[in-house]
Amino acid sequence: MSDSQGTRFGLDVSRDDLAPHAVGTGLFLLAYAMLLRGVELGRLYAFGDFVPYYGGRAFAKFLGTWHEGGLGFPYVYNVMPAYLGTVTAVGGALGQNLFYLALVPAGFAAFFVFAGRFVERPIPRYLAAAVYAINPVTIGEFVNGGVSTLIGFVGFPLIVHFLYEIDERDTWRPAVLVGVVFGATAIVPWLVFWMIGPFAAYFAYRSRDNLPKLAKFVASGGLGVVLSLPNVHHILQRAAGFGDGDGVLWTTLQWNYEQADPLAVLRLAGNHGMLAMNQLGYNTDPTMVIGLVIPLVALFAVERERLRLYYAIAVGCVAFVSLTWLQLTYPLFETIPLFWSVRNPAKLQYPLLLSLSLLFGAGLETVLHGTRAGTLAQGAFDLDAHRSRASDARDPLIRGLLVGLVVLSLVAYAAPAAGAFGLEGVRGDDYAVPAEYETVADELDGRALWVPYGYTTQLRLRDTHPNHVGIKSGGLVQGIPNVEYVTHLFEDVAAGDPVHGRLRDLGVQYVVVESDPPGAYGNGAPRVQSKWGSPWLFGDPATLNARFAESSAYERAFTTNGFTVYRVTGVPDRDRVVQERGLHALVYSESTDTEVVGENLLANPSFDDGTGGWWTPSNESGRTTEYVGTSGGGGVELAVDGDTQPLPVAQAVSTRDGYPYRVDVNATGAGVATLYWYEGEKSPDSLVTREVVPLSAFPQAVTAKGDTLSIRIKPNASSEIRVRKVTVARSTYPAATGFTANGEGIPGVVVDGRDDPPENATVVAVNLGAEAAADADATVRVVDAETVLDGQLAFNDTLRQGAGIVIEEGERPDAVPDDARLVTRETENGTVLDYWVAGEFDETPVTTVRTSYAAGWSGSPDAEHFRAQGWANGFTDTTPEEVAWTGGGLRGLVVRVWLAAWALTLLALTAPPVVRRLRERYDDGGSTDLP
């Protein structure tokens, strides 16, 4: 290595100086290896934001289509699948593991190169690099799966290093290197923008009177943008839509900054949104205050002129984050959309991290060694006072204490990460994909609904079974069109309503019930929870398992390794593009009113006899349950103080399984009523399911899920409620309302008649009266028997709404029009009238594409393209072979420009050295053939 090369990259070492560098690097790697002990190798990691893209599937993700945003790419940071796809295609799961684990050491090495510009002594320089590599920010990103962010963390110091090279050297090569490092590491352009922005502004200002140098800075930035074009294009798209979903953005902003007080920010732990901050104790353990030693040591370099930029950046980052914690910067977020990109303070903690780490190294060098002449020539530090103090006998003691504090602070930064670098402390053993997922997925040759379904499950399935039915995190925010569809599907699964028709329509061939899902997904009653704009399906696997096992619409396929797989009956093998018959626009009733047809089944529903007939808890400290009488009538008052467990009032009644009931709770205050359904006696062993309903959500129309209902009413923690009257009574059968429910049983492609359907669609009225159907200009009427006919109800989820009316063979009820066609089913109860149809369904061939709706799909020139089933793509006058993705052409252009730019840039970097070596070779041989 020549002297010029060594100085350029901040190494400047001779053979005699290699020993301290080898020791410093070896000690860091040893410490890192100790922190990683217990990390699992050889299984795909899948946790937080770390998606386990695997081999060729990753490139399908990169080139596939999902929604109109992000050029039609299926992933927010578009190039990331290609990165991990390359790694896993070459090294498999172990390659993915090593790639991820190598990011922290790579950041250590990159910072060490950069810091050589300011810190010359090995010990302070290596300690500063260790602070940059291992600290609350990087540990938090590691256990949060922030692979995209950690790649930017690696490239950040090198970009700044090459910016200095542009300023110092009269050559274009550093400008090209800035663009290359930016293009390769700016997976999250917003992050790198906030990292590089202050330095770019500084150098642009310095070179304002030197146009050639300013041109290099501008060109380096432009090249970086082009070399990361797919990701930058997505960010620009997002910037134009920051006004969408303001509520989610404000909630995220407030949450992330909740613990970003000045001391937490200075300790690099001012981010509530990162799991490691709290769960590893950075914001909860008082001993973590030792982390303030890092910024305190940084103050010892305050007189170095060349470091004033870093003090300014550090002060600016701490000030902005702290002022946002106090909500004083909120007007900026309201008026300048750019600031929404820092709704997570981690983006500002990276420039703060680089600045503090560098200042820490410079301060430590100042205290321990003074400053070398080479550095002093560019600074303004007076060594006279330091040298005089150095002769003082107390000075070694003071410096020894300082070194002890520094070591203690470094240990404090790293100690919470001991063992799997914090993964075990935050994730437990959930950070790797169990082999059982792949075992089950290998047996499934079609689409599958996986229940329960949560964020961790989704991450695991993205690799092992890409054909699962679900929505990725952030789906609503990113504008994926079928979030609503999947939400309704999950809600009906949770409620126990029939969904097999929609599963068939989606081409779902399997339902997989996971008996031991990760996290808390398997706890409690089946329910849908929405987080990050996406629906998750939670619930006790035993309950979900029982529902599918008891339904004739599903048959058990196999059970293995804690997974029970059901095959959805009647689903033909089909590709993504399938042929359907007819195009129908649905018009339906939105009324959910039900009529009470029986008396209240509860004893003493208005508490006229005090609490007689009700189960009430004993009065204990912090809990009260008492009858209260007022001028408006009686009631029971329940109160709970502090953390005391709230206990309910409760009563059980007999019900008829499958029959409709109307439940109402007239109460004031914050609380819930839980409906427990039992089959047989009221005991834990016979519990079928339970439903938790907020008091504000009553009355509720429910379908009995057992022959005993126990209703239990209790206040929320630290609150009080007053219950005046409770009602459980038989009612008319509540016909399912809404587009998806009323579309059951209608052949062909169904679109919502309320959303400007295609002109050639046949209008179908569902459960509308004759007058309302005429007003809708409906050609076809569909009426569910149980909505208008008296008679014995029969329940089976193969029926259109899950219920029908038992009729004698050959019977035609008087209420059915003479021109209507009856649709009956043969069940164990006899012949059941499901529904009747007046009019004829359209039989025109229609093609649908089972992917989220996007205008980029096209059919034949004569085709009409429309939104089918609320989310899919539909075409008239088109065969499946004629349907293709066009993407509007923009994605292809962007990708071609991006790839061409990389090819030309790499050629520009490699060609001159090759030409120079060839020239030298020919010159040595005396040849003059080369110009």
Side-chain angles (χ1 to χ4, degrees):
M1 178 184 293
S2 68
D3 291 340
S4 62
Q5 287 175 316
T7 303
R8 183 190 313 164
F9 290 98
L11 299 177
D12 194 19
V13 296
S14 65
R15 291 174 184 256
D16 296 336
D17 293 331
L18 284 177
H21 292 289
V23 171
T25 302
L27 288 175
F28 171 78
L29 293 177
L30 178 63
Y32 185 57
M34 291 294 293
L35 294 173
L36 285 177
R37 67 186 185 276
V39 167
E40 200 162 343
L41 293 176
R43 295 170 67 187
L44 283 173
Y45 297 155
F47 56 89
D49 295 326
F50 195 3
V51 181
Y53 289 123
Y54 197 71
R57 292 173 180 171
F59 298 103
K61 286 274 189 182
F62 178 53
L63 298 173
T65 61
W66 183 249
H67 58 86
E68 292 178 317
L71 297 173
F73 288 117
Y75 191 57
V76 175
Y77 307 122
N78 304 318
V79 181
M80 195 68 251
Y83 271 66
L84 287 176
T86 302
V87 170
T88 54
V90 174
L94 183 60
Q96 183 232 38
N97 302 162
L98 297 179
F99 173 77
Y100 191 57
L101 299 178
L103 291 175
V104 170
F108 169 86
F111 183 86
F112 181 82
V113 170
F114 160 71
R117 294 183 163 278
F118 305 92
V119 183
E120 300 183 36
R121 298 281 185 168
I123 292 177
R125 191 169 164 192
Y126 275 106
L127 289 175
V131 170
Y132 182 77
I134 299 175
N135 57 80
V137 173
T138 55
I139 293 172
E141 206 66 69
F142 189 92
V143 300
N144 198 42
V147 61
S148 302
T149 306
L150 286 176
I151 292 174
F153 146 86
V154 172
F156 178 25
L158 294 179
I159 295 175
V160 180
H161 175 73
F162 289 125
L163 286 174
Y164 276 98
E165 291 277 288
I166 296 173
D167 190 53
E168 296 166 356
R169 302 174 59 205
D170 187 18
T171 174
W172 277 92
R173 186 176 179 83
V176 176
L177 290 173
V178 167
V180 167
V181 178
F182 185 96
T185 61
I187 307 300
V188 188
W190 281 137
L191 175 70
V192 183
F193 169 85
W194 288 105
M195 286 178 175
I196 304 304
F199 301 96
Y202 168 75
F203 285 112
Y205 178 78
R206 275 173 54 98
S207 59
R208 64 191 183 280
D209 296 327
N210 187 336
L211 291 182
K213 185 178 292 186
L214 182 61
K216 292 177 185 176
F217 284 115
V218 173
S220 67
L223 179 61
V225 168
V226 174
L227 293 181
S228 59
L229 194 56
N231 290 323
V232 169
H233 182 277
H234 168 75
I235 291 298
L236 294 176
Q237 278 188 317
R238 291 285 293 122
F242 265 128
D244 300 333
D246 278 351
V248 173
L249 294 175
W250 281 110
T251 300
T252 304
L253 173 70
Q254 293 164 348
W255 164 256
N256 283 331
Y257 281 84
E258 188 170 318
Q259 293 185 346
D261 62 85
L263 293 182
V265 176
L266 282 170
R267 287 186 291 106
L268 302 172
N271 180 5
H272 195 188
M274 201 172 284
L275 285 172
M277 299 304 174
N278 291 337
Q279 291 185 244
L280 292 179
Y282 286 112
N283 279 327
T284 55
D285 189 339
T287 62
M288 287 296 115
V289 74
I290 195 69
L292 291 172
V293 169
I294 302 299
L296 288 175
V297 172
L299 294 176
F300 285 105
V302 72
E303 293 190 38
R304 293 199 193 183
E305 185 178 348
R306 291 186 69 212
L307 297 176
R308 289 177 183 173
L309 169 66
Y310 297 90
Y311 282 108
I313 292 173
V315 170
C317 291
V318 173
F320 184 87
V321 175
S322 301
L323 291 174
T324 305
W325 169 61
L326 295 172
Q327 303 185 4
L328 297 178
T329 63
Y330 278 16
L332 291 174
F333 291 88
E334 293 174 346
T335 57
I336 305 175
L338 173 66
F339 280 91
W340 280 117
S341 62
V342 288
R343 63 189 180 277
N344 189 328
K347 291 183 175 63
L348 293 177
Q349 285 188 331
Y350 280 95
L352 174 62
L353 169 63
L354 182 133
S355 299
L356 280 185
S357 300
L358 179 62
L359 295 172
F360 162 76
L364 191 60
E365 182 181 51
T366 301
V367 174
L368 296 180
H369 305 290
T371 307
R372 285 186 178 182
T375 306
L376 278 174
Q378 305 172 56
F381 188 80
D382 185 7
L383 287 181
D384 291 340
H386 177 79
R387 286 170 178 158
S388 64
R389 288 195 305 272
S391 61
D392 192 317
R394 293 175 300 170
D395 193 55
L397 177 61
I398 293 174
R399 287 191 289 171
L401 289 174
L402 176 61
V403 170
L405 276 174
V406 168
V407 172
L408 186 60
S409 64
L410 294 178
V411 171
Y413 264 171
F421 205 51
L423 281 175
E424 288 182 353
V426 177
R427 302 284 176 183
D429 59 355
D430 285 341
Y431 61 88
V433 178
E436 291 78 12
Y437 275 75
E438 298 190 56
T439 301
V440 173
D442 287 343
E443 296 290 328
L444 306 181
D445 55 0
R447 302 197 73 184
L449 171 67
W450 214 279
V451 297
Y453 180 78
Y455 184 55
T456 306
T457 302
Q458 168 213 250
L459 288 177
R460 295 173 171 186
L461 290 176
R462 283 191 191 180
D463 168 66
T464 56
H465 192 60
N467 287 326
H468 70 277
V469 177
I471 294 297
K472 69 179 182 179
S473 171
L476 184 61
V477 177
Q478 302 300 335
I480 296 175
N482 62 336
V483 171
E484 183 178 359
Y485 189 94
V486 175
T487 300
H488 291 323
L489 176 68
F490 282 0
E491 286 174 343
D492 287 347
V493 171
D497 294 339
V499 296
H500 64 282
R502 267 168 289 163
L503 295 181
R504 284 201 302 264
D505 185 56
L506 285 167
V508 175
Q509 293 174 279
Y510 303 98
V511 175
V512 182
V513 181
E514 186 175 1
S515 62
D516 186 23
Y521 308 145
N523 298 338
R527 65 200 183 281
V528 174
Q529 292 192 358
S530 182
K531 281 188 176 183
W532 311 297
S534 300
W536 311 115
L537 178 60
F538 288 20
D540 175 26
T543 301
L544 294 165
N545 212 351
R547 292 178 181 175
F548 293 110
E550 294 169 1
S551 171
S552 60
Y554 310 91
E555 58 184 18
R556 188 189 298 264
F558 62 91
T559 300
T560 179
N561 297 318
F563 297 87
T564 303
V565 180
Y566 296 91
R567 185 175 288 105
V568 185
T569 60
V571 180
D573 293 337
R574 59 176 70 179
D575 295 326
R576 180 183 63 186
V577 182
V578 299
Q579 195 82 10
E580 293 282 0
R581 307 289 292 181
L583 175 59
H584 303 108
L586 207 63
V587 182
Y588 50 89
S589 171
E590 295 182 340
S591 172
T592 57
D593 292 339
T594 56
E595 179 185 352
V596 175
V597 296
E599 297 180 354
N600 193 351
L601 301 176
L602 294 181
N604 190 26
S606 301
F607 303 97
D608 295 334
D609 299 326
T611 56
W614 291 86
W615 177 84
T616 60
S618 58
N619 290 334
E620 299 179 12
S621 176
R623 294 184 292 243
T624 60
T625 303
E626 59 183 354
Y627 172 77
V628 292
T630 66
S631 58
V636 63
E637 191 171 85
L638 295 88
V640 61
D641 297 329
D643 297 329
T644 307
Q645 175 68 27
L647 293 177
V649 294
Q651 191 174 147
V653 296
S654 296
T655 55
R656 294 187 66 180
D657 192 9
Y659 275 67
Y661 292 83
R662 188 175 187 272
V663 180
D664 193 11
V665 180
N666 183 344
T668 56
V672 298
T674 305
L675 309 181
Y676 288 80
W677 297 99
Y678 299 93
E679 192 65 50
E681 64 178 5
K682 188 168 68 69
S683 71
D685 293 338
S686 61
L687 178 66
V688 176
T689 188
R690 67 187 184 98
E691 304 169 64
V692 181
V693 183
L695 296 181
S696 59
F698 284 100
Q700 287 275 316
V702 301
T703 301
K705 299 175 178 62
D707 56 20
T708 300
L709 165 65
S710 174
I711 180 169
R712 309 180 190 184
I713 306 161
K714 66 179 180 181
N716 291 342
S718 302
S719 65
E720 175 183 293
I721 62 172
R722 177 172 293 184
V723 186
R724 295 189 176 90
K725 185 176 183 179
V726 186
T727 303
V728 177
R730 275 286 311 278
S731 70
T732 56
Y733 193 83
T737 59
F739 172 68
T740 54
N742 285 292
E744 294 286 340
I746 296 177
V749 178
V750 181
V751 298
D752 197 331
R754 290 157 164 60
D755 294 337
D756 298 323
E759 293 181 358
N760 55 345
T762 300
V763 178
V764 180
V766 180
N767 293 329
L768 291 182
E771 185 176 344
D775 292 340
D777 196 21
T779 304
V780 182
R781 287 188 63 201
V782 176
V783 181
D784 290 293
E786 72 278 2
T787 63
V788 295
L789 297 181
D790 293 327
Q792 179 186 348
L793 289 170
F795 302 95
N796 191 301
D797 62 7
T798 61
L799 300 171
R800 218 183 74 87
Q801 301 268 17
I805 298 294
V806 178
I807 60 174
E808 295 292 335
E809 186 175 355
E811 176 188 352
R812 186 182 184 91
D814 295 337
V816 178
D818 293 337
D819 59 345
R821 174 174 56 87
L822 301 184
V823 178
T824 59
R825 316 283 186 192
E826 296 302 321
T827 71
E828 58 186 12
N829 296 316
T831 302
V832 173
L833 175 57
D834 190 354
Y835 61 95
W836 66 82
V837 181
E840 294 297 326
F841 291 115
D842 181 18
E843 294 294 325
T844 304
V846 176
T847 298
T848 59
V849 182
R850 309 297 177 181
T851 186
S852 292
Y853 180 81
W857 291 99
S858 67
S860 68
D862 298 328
E864 181 176 0
H865 183 195
F866 59 90
R867 187 186 296 266
Q869 292 145 339
W871 64 280
N873 298 272
F875 297 89
T876 59
D877 300 317
T878 297
T879 64
E881 293 74 22
E882 292 175 307
V883 178
W885 169 257
T886 64
L890 183 59
R891 180 175 67 175
L893 174 63
V894 169
V895 172
R896 284 192 292 271
V897 169
W898 172 63
L899 292 175
W902 268 108
L904 292 174
T905 302
L906 295 176
L907 181 63
L909 283 175
T910 57
V914 171
V915 171
R916 184 169 56 250
R917 290 178 182 177
L918 290 174
R919 188 193 302 274
E920 292 172 354
R921 180 179 301 176
Y922 277 89
D923 288 344
D924 291 343
S927 172
T928 58
D929 292 342
L930 288 179

